[in-house]
Amino acid sequence: MSFFSRLGDRVVGGPSILAANFACLAEEVRKAREGGASFVHFDAMDNHFVPNLTIGPLVAASLVPETDLPVDAHLMVQNPDSLIPAFLEAGVASISIHPEAVTHLHRTLSMIREGGAEAGVALNPTTPPESIEWALPYLDFVLVMSVNPGFGGQSFIPEMLDKIRRLKEMTDVPIQVDGGINVETAPAVVEAGARVLVAGSAVYKGDPATEMRRIIDSGRSAVAEGR
Ligand code: DX5
Ligand code: ZN
């Protein structure tokens, strides 16, 4: 699978289903797809790495056959190595992990790629971009967390714009941004160099198709205006 490697310079968006109604997940994804979503962001939390508990590989395995969008698993869990095989088996297209949660980053990223998925590293707000310099050859994307991982509905941390700019100088792999993304912040992160927008509460606060479309369009406007 090759969602991130085929992205080029396009600006794309997808819903974080953390903010969706879990009782009708497939329908919630379908609504965001109507609004132009090109992937689904799937937040797994374990109540250890982050103080919240969500969904895991069993739910991913149920969702994957219900959508033609690539499912992008964001693992906010301690020791993701033990869960990665089950997520791969579930058919997710990409997996991001947090470097603080693994002991041997190269081994973990290789496991994801060898399993046929694209590999990403998620950087907490105070984790420096330089910490992944030697991991870059093994990455298909970098996820900049623009809030502390664990909960939806938090405010965007503006200093993350500088982090995106720094990453952009370091690598050509697509930069995904997650946390506090809405019609106001999307243009700013795209202008800084991000191309993959994840939005949870801003999508599901209203009609998901309408809100998803507005967020993607607002991000694309930053490129169109050459800002
Ligand atoms: C936070 C998650 C996000 C979250 C974003 O830990 O990784 O994906 O759903 O939610 P919003 O868009 O509401 O900030
Ligand atoms: Zn996420």
Side-chain angles (χ1 to χ4, degrees), residues 16 41-43 74 76 143 145 178 198:
S16 163
H41 185 79
F42 186 105
D43 287 301
H74 175 194
M76 287 159 279
L143 168 51
M145 288 303 303
D178 182 14
V198 174

Side-chain angles (χ1 to χ4, degrees), residues 15-19 41-45 50 52 74 76 98 143 145-156 177-182 198-203:
S16 163
I17 53 172
L18 184 63
H41 185 79
F42 186 105
D43 287 301
M45 304 184 187
V50 293
N52 200 357
H74 175 194
M76 287 159 279
H98 285 254
L143 168 51
M145 288 303 303
S146 38
V147 298
N148 284 300
F151 300 95
Q154 304 178 79
S155 298
F156 181 83
V177 188
D178 182 14
I181 297 300
N182 53 37
V198 174
S201 49
V203 169

Side-chain angles (χ1 to χ4, degrees), residues 3-4 11-19 32 37-43 45 70-74 76 94 96 122 141-147 151-154 156 164 175-183 185-186 189-190 194-204 211-212 215-216 219:
F3 174 73
F4 288 97
V11 174
V12 295
S16 163
I17 53 172
L18 184 63
S38 47
F39 66 94
V40 185
H41 185 79
F42 186 105
D43 287 301
M45 304 184 187
V71 175
D72 167 46
H74 175 194
M76 287 159 279
S94 51
S96 57
F141 64 106
V142 179
L143 168 51
V144 172
M145 288 303 303
S146 38
V147 298
F151 300 95
Q154 304 178 79
F156 181 83
I164 296 167
I175 300 170
Q176 181 181 46
V177 188
D178 182 14
I181 297 300
N182 53 37
V183 288
T185 54
V189 299
V190 169
R195 289 295 179 267
V196 186
L197 306 169
V198 174
S201 49
V203 169
Y204 290 103
E211 300 304 329
M212 187 82 253
I215 293 163
I216 295 169

Side-chain angles (χ1 to χ4, degrees), residues 12-226:
V12 295
S16 163
I17 53 172
L18 184 63
N21 180 347
F22 284 127
C24 42
L25 213 40
E27 177 59 13
E28 293 277 77
V29 168
R30 196 192 56 72
K31 288 178 190 164
R33 188 184 187 289
E34 253 177 54
S38 47
F39 66 94
V40 185
H41 185 79
F42 186 105
D43 287 301
M45 304 184 187
D46 68 347
N47 188 38
H48 289 276
F49 184 69
V50 293
N52 200 357
L53 184 65
T54 59
I55 45 180
L58 287 174
V59 178
S62 299
L63 182 62
V64 166
E66 295 293 327
T67 178
D68 59 358
L69 295 181
V71 175
D72 167 46
H74 175 194
L75 307 192
M76 287 159 279
V77 303
Q78 209 57 54
N79 188 26
D81 293 22
S82 57
L83 279 173
I84 287 168
F87 273 102
L88 292 168
E89 184 67 25
V92 301
S94 51
I95 299 177
S96 57
I97 50 89
H98 285 254
E100 294 87 351
V102 303
T103 309
H104 304 289
L105 186 57
H106 177 270
R107 179 177 291 154
T108 304
L109 297 173
S110 302
M111 190 196 309
I112 295 170
R113 279 184 159 182
E114 283 162 17
E118 292 185 290
V121 157
L123 299 175
N124 281 337
T126 60
T127 302
E130 291 76 15
S131 68
I132 57 163
E133 187 180 355
W134 284 74
L136 290 173
Y138 316 108
L139 288 178
D140 299 297
F141 64 106
V142 179
L143 168 51
V144 172
M145 288 303 303
S146 38
V147 298
N148 284 300
F151 300 95
Q154 304 178 79
S155 298
F156 181 83
I157 300 172
E159 288 76 16
M160 295 307 101
L161 295 173
D162 276 341
K163 185 186 279 190
I164 296 167
R165 287 188 199 101
R166 177 81 59 87
L167 276 164
K168 197 64 195 153
E169 290 167 6
M170 291 171 59
T171 179
D172 285 333
V173 303
I175 300 170
Q176 181 181 46
V177 188
D178 182 14
I181 297 300
N182 53 37
V183 288
E184 277 85 41
T185 54
V189 299
V190 169
E191 191 186 343
R195 289 295 179 267
V196 186
L197 306 169
V198 174
S201 49
V203 169
Y204 290 103
K205 70 174 185 188
D207 172 57
T210 308
E211 300 304 329
M212 187 82 253
R213 175 72 63 200
R214 289 180 67 219
I215 293 163
I216 295 169
D217 286 351
S218 71
R220 286 182 180 160
S221 71
V223 176
E225 289 164 16

